[in-house]
């Protein structure tokens, strides 16, 4: 894995969370979808990145694609409901998300999927989190990013609209809500411009993958 491209400011800050109330910017998309963005929600985010890099039992996976089995171009770990998270700040983050979004969401975030993008060669193709209830119901997926920023792209499913780009890392938060998982797609494309690593943590409600 290539060297992590840290932020000098992050190394001098204690790890913690900023407020959500009054700091989250919502963008309404079409077909009932929306996204919330809160830049640099985690202070000292590079410290959290290093802790997660060490503490999470990252796994390489292989999946069937068409007529062959291929390596998944990133490392993964899924924390199911009731499973202990690898860092107390993630527990604090999940609790803060519940406090901010539970009235609108109608339930709590209970699982945490984690991805390690080791460098610009790691990626995830266009998709929506439609395994489970999100294929038919509105829901939310909250993604916390630490490490070197990578571009998260969003586009309407089936085309017919603009592609949006958000560069996420160093403690940034994005929440995809409403119909976003079934009416829009998102991706992390490969890039030759990034050599550092990024970790994303995806908080989801029960029955959404």
């Amino acid at each position: 894995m290539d060297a992590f491209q840290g932020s000098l400011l992050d190394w001098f800050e204690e790890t913690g969370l900023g407020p959500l109330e009054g700091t989250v910017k919502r963008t309404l998309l079409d077909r009932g979808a929306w996204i919330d963005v809160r830049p640099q929600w985690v202070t000292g985010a590079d410290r959290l990145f290093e802790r997660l890099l060490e503490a999470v039992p990252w796994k390489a996976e292989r999946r069937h694609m068409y007529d062959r089995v291929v390596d998944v171009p990133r490392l993964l770990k899924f924390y199911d409901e009731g499973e202990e998270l690898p860092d107390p700040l993630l527990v604090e983050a999940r609790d803060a998300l519940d406090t901010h979004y539970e009235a609108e969401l109608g339930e709590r975030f209970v699982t945490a999927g984690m991805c390690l993008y080791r460098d610009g060669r790691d990626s995830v193709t266009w998709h929506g989190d439609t395994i489970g209830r999100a294929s038919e119901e509105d829901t939310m997926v909250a993604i916390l990013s630490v490490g070197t920023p990578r571009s998260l792209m969003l586009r309407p499913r089936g085309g017919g609209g603009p592609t949006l780009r958000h560069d996420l890392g160093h403690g940034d938060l994005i929440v995809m809500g409403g119909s976003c998982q079934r009416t829009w797609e998102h991706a992390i494309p490969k890039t030759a411009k990034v050599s550092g690593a990024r970790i994303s943590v995806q908080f989801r409600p029960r029955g959404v993958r």
Side-chain angles (χ1 to χ4, degrees):
M1 185 170 66
D2 292 329
F4 167 54
Q5 299 172 354
S7 167
L8 185 61
L9 179 62
D10 276 353
W11 289 110
F12 291 95
E13 291 184 308
E14 291 297 323
T15 308
L17 299 175
L20 289 176
E21 189 68 32
T23 67
V24 174
K25 179 182 178 181
R26 177 162 298 187
T27 300
L28 299 178
L29 309 175
D30 62 7
R31 292 183 278 182
W34 55 262
I35 55 172
D36 280 356
V37 176
R38 202 311 191 172
Q40 298 179 323
W41 182 38
V42 175
T43 58
D46 290 349
R47 295 175 183 265
L48 177 61
F49 171 88
E50 294 290 354
R51 297 203 304 257
L52 295 178
L53 191 64
E54 182 70 23
V56 175
W58 299 105
K59 297 179 181 178
E61 293 188 359
R62 292 173 62 81
R63 293 179 182 172
H64 285 278
M65 182 170 289
Y66 305 111
D67 59 346
R68 59 197 179 109
V69 178
V70 299
D71 293 327
V72 173
R74 59 198 175 278
L75 301 183
L76 305 166
K77 171 60 181 171
F78 180 72
Y79 291 88
D80 208 344
E81 184 174 359
E83 195 171 351
E84 184 178 358
L85 295 179
D87 193 279
L89 189 67
L90 296 186
V91 178
E92 186 180 344
R94 185 181 58 193
D95 291 344
L97 290 166
D98 286 336
T99 298
H100 188 75
Y101 286 106
E102 187 173 10
E104 183 177 11
L105 179 59
E107 57 185 320
R108 300 174 70 85
F109 295 98
V110 298
T111 68
M114 304 188 69
C115 296
L116 170 58
Y117 299 86
R118 294 160 288 189
D119 53 38
R121 292 167 294 185
D122 279 354
S123 63
V124 61
T125 191
W126 290 104
H127 72 288
D129 294 357
T130 54
I131 299 176
R133 296 188 292 120
S135 63
E136 299 178 348
E137 302 175 11
D138 287 2
T139 190
M140 295 185 197
V141 176
I143 301 176
L144 173 63
S145 296
V146 292
T148 304
R150 290 287 299 272
S151 295
L152 185 145
M153 313 296 288
L154 293 121
R155 70 183 184 188
R157 187 181 294 273
T163 297
L164 308 179
R165 169 180 167 173
H166 292 273
D167 292 335
L168 302 173
H170 298 311
D172 298 329
L173 172 72
I174 187 169
V175 180
M176 295 179 282
S179 68
C180 197
Q181 297 304 323
R182 66 179 187 277
T183 62
W184 284 65
E185 298 175 308
H186 55 280
I188 305 288
K190 297 180 186 295
T191 176
K193 297 179 180 179
V194 173
S195 60
R198 167 184 175 262
I199 293 171
S200 72
V201 184
Q202 311 101 41
F203 295 103
R204 299 182 179 93
R206 180 180 295 117
V208 176
R209 285 292 296 272

